[in-house]
Amino acid sequence: MNAALIGLQWGDEGKGKLIDSLMDSFDVVCRYQGGANAGHTVIHDQNKIPLHLIPSGIFHPDKLCIIGNGVVIDINQLMKEIKKLKEMNIDFKDRLFISKRTHLILPSHFTQEKEMKEEIGTTGRGIGPAYADKMRRKGIRMGDIFSLDYLKSFDLPSSFIQTLKIFRENYGHFITDTVILLHNLLKEKKRILFEGAQGALLDIDFGTYPYVTSSNPTPGGILTGTGTPLNSISRIIGVMKAYTTRVGKGPFPTEMDEKTQKAVRDLGKEYGTTTGRPRRCGWLDLVGIKYTTRITGTTEIALTKIDTLDGFPEIKIANKYNIDGEETDQFPSEVWKLEKVNPIYKSVPGWDSTKGIKSYKDLPRETKIFIRYIEDFVGIKVRIISTGRKRGDLICV
Ligand code: GDP
Ligand code: IMO
Ligand code: MG
């Protein structure tokens, strides 16, 4: 069965770890949106490896990794990443495929982003300007790097042309028509896992606009970002942390007080994988989660980082919002309303230790109560529980 794994919050839910852990059930992993703004951490041979563009299934030698057309590619970053993985003896031969239709991040995109970086707190990876050029029909796509004549009509610095040549010579064989490839794989009944980057609350349409990214992490992004038919994906794994984090600016209704944020940040090592920025930390927001499970069509929840809350005497869960004295259980679309939210919390008792637990029956009673509360509130089962950073720290129910 094909599946998608999508973040339900503001990114960094632990998607990389889960993809790496779940690959035994899949033959292929495919990125469909975003770019090197993503930072997906995988622990391999006890090393912490941040992946920005390479799909998180790369550490499984027999699995195919596809970068779909909806991704925007920073060639320098991609070359750096491949080189680093090759040094770790990761074999790329006949395993990595990059769509001819992916758009390139150009040097001008980094310059243009400077202003946005301040206003929105972007990752500085050229994402917004690259997608803007794609929509303005001014972009350059991966397949175009095979025609220097065609590239002449763009005003590209000679150093960048040189980089493109180096990329073409060394990695040109990875570039292909991934629509044909994906459709062949579907015909062969290969099991494909679509790897979401960012999270539903960063979605350009459904997120906390304008404090969002410039693509659709929600499932529409899979259709336009890969060319895979709508009816080929029946399983949507929505990933959420047991609490909430956000990097960059924008409304964050359940943001904790400074002292609690610091405790969670230290315990959960909540620092950006891409930029190293300290992540803002907050309590679990089920108003947001209920909304994002709906817009993503989540069929099962993967709950991560419950071990980060080990030892907390009390855990807070927002289940309603108060906005200007009015209560609501709906996630507002307007940023100025979101900024006025006073969350209404339910408190549940904390638990001692869940770290590394691999079986549901071994979880503390309080953790089971916490999980059941989420399931009842959202109306979707928690099928996967992550209890640590390593591949095997996982419970599948
Ligand atoms: P992604 O962007 O969704 O892939 O998430 P990131 O990799 O940016 O951030 C998640 C961080 O939490 C990484 O440092 C992971 O190694 C770590 N992580 C993932 N799952 C768990 C878990 O269940 N428990 C703990 N303690 N850490 C986890
Ligand atoms: P993964 O895939 C967390 C945030 C940025 C900023 C906003 C827009 O690791 O979950 P952009 O550079 O995309 O234009 O920045 O989105 N952001 C992320 N936050 N995890 C990510 O990816 C993110 N990718 C972008 O911090 O607030
Ligand atoms: Mg991340």
Side-chain angles (χ1 to χ4, degrees):
M1 196 198 282
N2 304 316
L5 189 133
I6 299 176
L8 294 175
Q9 293 158 321
W10 280 287
D12 303 327
E13 297 89 351
K15 300 178 290 295
K17 179 249 155 109
L18 284 181
I19 301 257
D20 177 64
S21 304
L22 297 176
M23 277 316 287
D24 283 348
S25 308
F26 298 94
D27 306 298
V28 182
V29 56
C30 179
R31 277 278 306 268
Y32 57 91
Q33 46 70 238
N37 50 350
H40 296 179
T41 314
V42 176
I43 307 289
H44 177 70
D45 282 349
Q46 287 166 20
N47 294 312
K48 187 180 124 190
I49 315 294
L51 297 167
H52 301 286
L53 285 162
I54 301 288
S56 303
I58 195 69
F59 296 106
H60 296 256
D62 53 336
K63 311 291 178 183
L64 304 190
C65 293
I66 301 177
I67 301 180
N69 58 277
V71 175
V72 287
I73 296 197
D74 170 359
I75 290 220
N76 282 307
Q77 173 60 40
L78 183 59
M79 288 199 288
K80 233 192 275 171
E81 219 165 301
I82 295 174
K83 192 163 166 263
K84 191 168 146 199
L85 290 166
K86 280 192 167 172
E87 282 165 11
M88 298 172 65
N89 292 323
I90 302 299
D91 188 12
F92 281 85
K93 194 168 179 310
D94 301 328
R95 291 190 55 212
L96 178 66
F97 303 90
I98 304 167
S99 167
K100 285 179 177 181
R101 297 180 176 89
T102 51
H103 277 249
L104 300 186
I105 309 246
L106 306 177
S108 56
H109 295 148
F110 291 105
T111 329
Q112 288 163 24
E113 187 171 355
K114 284 213 173 92
E115 199 175 303
M116 264 181 193
K117 203 174 166 195
E118 286 296 303
E119 278 173 20
I120 294 176
T122 65
T123 58
R125 297 302 186 113
I127 304 298
Y131 278 114
D133 267 358
K134 172 177 175 175
M135 291 306 173
R136 285 187 333 123
R137 292 152 292 175
K138 295 282 182 199
I140 298 177
R141 308 203 293 181
M142 201 50 109
D144 301 334
I145 72 171
F146 293 101
S147 168
L148 289 178
D149 264 355
Y150 179 73
L151 292 180
K152 273 189 195 136
S153 56
F154 296 86
D155 190 19
L156 294 172
S158 57
S159 58
F160 188 67
I161 299 269
Q162 199 51 35
T163 306
L164 292 182
K165 281 187 191 160
I166 293 169
F167 183 79
R168 203 172 71 179
E169 273 155 35
N170 290 285
Y171 306 115
H173 55 285
F174 293 142
I175 303 168
T176 188
D177 190 328
T178 53
V179 172
I180 299 173
L181 173 67
L182 278 164
H183 281 256
N184 284 338
L185 291 166
L186 287 170
K187 213 158 119 194
E188 291 166 23
K189 299 264 181 292
K190 296 288 185 209
R191 300 158 303 170
I192 304 169
L193 178 58
F194 294 93
E195 174 173 359
Q198 289 79 54
L201 292 177
L202 286 171
D203 187 279
I204 184 79
D205 287 284
F206 298 110
T208 49
Y209 191 89
Y211 298 98
V212 291
T213 191
S214 300
S215 66
N216 289 114
T218 51
I222 304 175
L223 308 185
T224 57
T226 65
T228 308
L230 181 60
N231 58 5
S232 54
I233 307 159
S234 43
R235 182 178 174 202
I236 308 245
I237 307 165
V239 190
M240 56 183 271
K241 276 182 198 176
Y243 49 97
T244 316
T245 60
R246 168 157 217 180
V247 206
K249 297 184 183 169
F252 188 175
T254 61
E255 193 161 17
M256 294 159 166
D257 61 64
E258 277 302 322
K259 197 168 144 236
T260 319
Q261 282 206 48
K262 191 176 173 328
V264 172
R265 190 177 300 128
D266 288 350
L267 290 164
K269 300 193 173 61
E270 294 294 355
Y271 292 88
T273 312
T274 301
T275 57
R277 290 178 289 179
R279 293 175 181 151
R280 298 158 68 192
C281 299
W283 296 109
L284 181 59
D285 182 350
L286 286 186
V287 179
I289 293 289
K290 196 161 185 174
Y291 167 64
T292 54
T293 52
R294 298 295 180 269
I295 57 172
T296 51
T298 290
T299 57
E300 64 193 88
I301 290 173
L303 179 65
T304 63
K305 301 194 88 158
I306 53 167
D307 57 300
T308 298
L309 299 182
D310 285 358
F312 273 63
E314 175 199 39
I315 290 164
K316 298 211 292 184
I317 308 171
N319 56 18
K320 249 188 193 166
Y321 287 169
N322 183 315
I323 306 173
D324 283 339
E326 279 197 27
E327 286 189 9
T328 177
D329 53 10
Q330 301 295 330
F331 194 80
S333 61
E334 304 91 337
V335 69
W336 46 269
K337 266 195 194 166
L338 275 161
E339 270 156 3
K340 290 196 222 167
V341 166
N342 275 313
I344 299 171
Y345 289 109
K346 176 187 171 60
S347 283
V348 294
W351 49 81
D352 286 339
S353 176
T354 59
K355 193 158 185 55
I357 289 183
K358 292 174 178 58
S359 152
Y360 186 82
K361 69 174 185 353
D362 295 336
L363 285 175
R365 199 179 127 258
E366 295 81 4
T367 317
K368 290 180 183 161
I369 293 172
F370 176 75
I371 293 171
R372 214 162 299 136
Y373 186 80
I374 297 171
E375 292 182 328
D376 290 346
F377 189 93
V378 182
I380 299 170
K381 287 276 178 212
V382 174
R383 296 275 181 216
I384 300 165
I385 302 155
S386 175
T387 56
R389 316 186 92 188
K390 296 197 298 288
R391 192 183 273 182
D393 295 336
L394 204 71
I395 302 171
C396 292
V397 192

